[in-house]
Amino acid sequence: MTKPLFPAIALALLLAGCAGAPPPKPVPSAPAAEWSAADPALTGAAMRFDWWTAFGSAELDRLVGDALAANHEIAAAYANLKAAGALAREARQLSLPQGGLSGGIQRLREPSATQPPIFRTPGAFPDMTIATIGSELSWETDFVGARGKTARAALADARSALWQRRQVEAAVAAQVVRAWLDLSRTRQLASLTDGRIAVLDEMIAMTARRVASGGGTEADLAALRQTREQLAGEQPALAALQRSALRRLAVLTARDPVAFVAEGAKLAAEARTPDALAADDPRTLLRMRPDVQIAEARLAAAFERAGASRAALYPSLSLGATGGLAATPADFGSPGAFRFAIGPALNWGIFNLGRVKAGIAAADATSEAAAAQWQQTLLAAVEEADGAIDNWLAARKAAATARRAEAAAQVLLEAARSRQRAGTIPAYALAQAEADHLAARTAQASAEAAERDAWAFANLALGAGWRDEDNQAPSG
């Protein structure tokens, strides 16, 4: 018995060895220990996942909380996570014995042509009623670890789904912040535009009087009117941008976009500008990015499946047992109704090896693609985060310059007011100083809004914004 089995086992091992092991996992080079830009505003504090609270707005905190609780994309991501977890549990159960119970009752009639000739039984067998009840149990051994690898791949899929849920949470929180910042910026710019138009109206009235008295030209009046109409042309666009921001907030928080345009008119949207960014070690912070974790989980799943694909090269051994009763209802309790079967079974798809090797090649190629995607994701994460920090620092410097320009314009305005009160300059010169100051304030508001936008994007690029409460489902 041993001699016939030895060549078969040796051949199986030889064929399995020809398939080779899965390709090794790549070891990417570690990112730099510091960012390319150095600035005291980059602190070594731990990253805050609720980074939007730095804007100091209770209204924004409420909106983000509403979105995290009711957003439909988050609800879908959470459902996908539950499905992936269930599939992982199912994969683990496959390594355990499988079986079940069965039962039934049938009325049987066999055609006479299929019945064997029996001496002194010229007629057909009579109709019969047969009742059955039984159970079966089987267990396929996992000598090569295929089921274990499949279970670990499913677990990696569940980990990927967890980070996908976190990625959606971070994206939704960032979208709420950006919509709210857009609302704040457009409201502030609209208010400043109204002020500039009011000052220009005064200047136009004074210039018109000068032209009427022969002290000015129509060209001076036309230049002021041109500037005034250009500013007036910006008002409808600013109003539309405010409504667009409100509709975005409504969708993100699972509200009616049409109704929220009216409700959001009383929404407070004032924000302070954060002056520091928690960006310590790239090697630590980039590990918190959901896209990096998703790529790593997919890589792990692909390599586990590449290993599991080689199990088809080996014979599989399963153990099975069945037992039960089969008889007419009247004889169901008789000893002759009992049946059973027990024993091992060996299966080897030796004639399918071509297909098996093709599947192995496909699984290896998939793992290689996952490895390349993982390394690309790491590089892209470093590039995005480093660029976001650089852009924030640049926007921060631009906003500081705009604030200094506004301060200088304020000094000039105060001086013009003093001179106008002293009667040394006309009212028109004071109006011109007010217009220049409002233009400087507009530039400052735009620069500070760009700084806040860049700060928000930098936090998202660093991986902040998701929650760690795995057992907390959204209510929507």
Side-chain angles (χ1 to χ4, degrees):
M1 183 70 179
T2 305
K3 290 182 179 180
L5 285 176
F6 180 77
I9 296 174
L11 180 60
L13 294 175
L14 177 62
L15 291 171
C18 292
K25 288 185 180 180
V27 182
S29 58
E34 296 179 352
W35 305 106
S36 62
D39 193 280
L42 300 176
T43 69
M47 181 175 60
R48 290 192 60 175
F49 292 100
D50 56 345
W51 52 271
W52 52 85
T53 58
F55 288 114
S57 170
E59 196 77 76
L60 174 60
D61 296 346
R62 180 182 64 80
L63 287 170
V64 174
D66 290 346
L68 293 178
N71 183 268
H72 297 302
E73 289 186 79
I74 294 178
Y78 193 89
N80 290 335
L81 172 60
K82 291 194 292 185
L87 290 174
R89 293 192 298 273
E90 180 187 27
R92 288 196 300 269
Q93 293 296 319
L94 291 177
S95 61
L96 302 177
Q98 308 293 311
L101 299 174
S102 62
I105 186 169
Q106 293 179 314
R107 181 69 175 172
L108 303 178
R109 171 181 290 179
E110 295 290 344
S112 59
T114 63
Q115 297 178 10
I118 301 177
F119 181 67
R120 293 182 181 177
T121 310
F125 287 166
D127 294 351
M128 293 184 294
T129 299
I130 301 297
T132 60
I133 187 172
S135 65
E136 60 180 16
L137 187 67
S138 64
W139 177 53
E140 184 176 343
T141 59
D142 192 21
F143 288 134
V144 295
R147 293 188 181 276
K149 290 180 173 65
T150 301
R152 289 192 293 272
L155 189 61
D157 288 338
R159 189 166 68 251
S160 174
L162 169 63
W163 281 100
Q164 288 179 61
R165 190 212 71 185
R166 291 172 173 175
Q167 185 179 44
V168 172
E169 285 179 347
V172 167
Q175 290 175 47
V176 171
V177 173
R178 287 179 175 177
W180 183 82
L181 288 176
D182 286 346
L183 179 64
S184 174
R185 174 180 59 83
T186 51
R187 280 184 177 176
Q188 189 176 12
L189 291 178
S191 176
L192 289 170
T193 299
D194 291 341
R196 294 176 69 186
I197 289 175
V199 171
L200 282 170
D201 286 340
E202 294 179 9
M203 294 175 67
I204 289 170
M206 286 186 284
T207 302
R209 288 193 294 270
R210 286 171 57 197
V211 171
S213 63
T217 66
E218 288 291 339
D220 295 334
L221 187 59
L224 289 172
R225 285 174 175 166
Q226 178 187 15
T227 303
R228 196 260 183 209
E229 293 307 317
Q230 287 175 341
L231 288 174
E234 296 176 4
Q235 289 179 310
L238 290 172
L241 288 173
Q242 292 180 52
R243 294 191 295 272
S244 175
L246 289 170
R247 283 190 287 267
R248 286 154 54 199
L249 287 172
V251 172
L252 290 166
T253 56
R255 293 181 171 93
D256 180 5
V258 176
F260 195 71
V261 169
E263 297 171 8
K266 53 180 182 264
L267 189 68
E270 293 79 19
R272 65 168 179 247
T273 303
D275 57 2
L277 178 66
D280 185 13
D281 187 347
R283 295 167 298 185
T284 301
L285 292 179
L286 292 178
R287 294 288 301 170
M288 307 308 295
R289 280 183 57 123
D291 57 342
V292 173
Q293 291 291 336
I294 291 170
E296 185 171 327
R298 288 174 176 171
L299 173 64
F303 270 81
E304 292 293 351
R305 290 192 172 98
S309 67
R310 285 156 169 77
L313 293 170
Y314 297 88
S316 62
L317 176 64
S318 60
L319 304 176
T322 62
L325 300 174
T328 62
D331 299 328
F332 209 63
S334 65
F338 179 69
R339 60 176 177 82
F340 77 92
I342 187 171
L346 188 67
N347 182 40
W348 185 21
I350 190 171
F351 301 113
N352 301 325
L353 292 182
R355 177 179 58 81
V356 170
K357 288 185 178 180
I360 292 173
D364 287 349
T366 300
S367 65
E368 291 172 4
Q373 186 62 46
W374 176 49
Q375 295 184 86
Q376 178 64 23
T377 302
L378 286 173
L379 292 175
V382 174
E383 182 271 334
E384 185 179 60
D386 193 63
I389 291 172
D390 198 11
N391 290 338
W392 173 66
L393 291 175
R396 189 167 180 267
K397 292 175 182 178
T401 300
R403 282 191 287 270
R404 290 193 294 269
E406 188 276 335
Q410 178 69 37
V411 171
L412 292 174
L413 175 60
E414 293 300 329
R417 286 172 177 168
S418 298
R419 291 172 183 170
Q420 205 275 335
R421 284 193 297 268
T424 58
I425 61 171
Y428 185 87
L430 175 59
Q432 182 64 59
E434 289 176 346
D436 292 342
H437 178 247
L438 284 171
R441 283 185 60 192
T442 301
Q444 176 190 355
S446 297
E448 288 180 342
E451 180 187 2
R452 289 191 288 268
D453 285 340
W455 187 85
F457 184 77
N459 277 278
L460 181 63
L462 290 171
W466 50 268
R467 298 176 296 175
D468 198 24
E469 298 83 10
D470 299 342
N471 59 346
Q472 184 177 11
S475 58

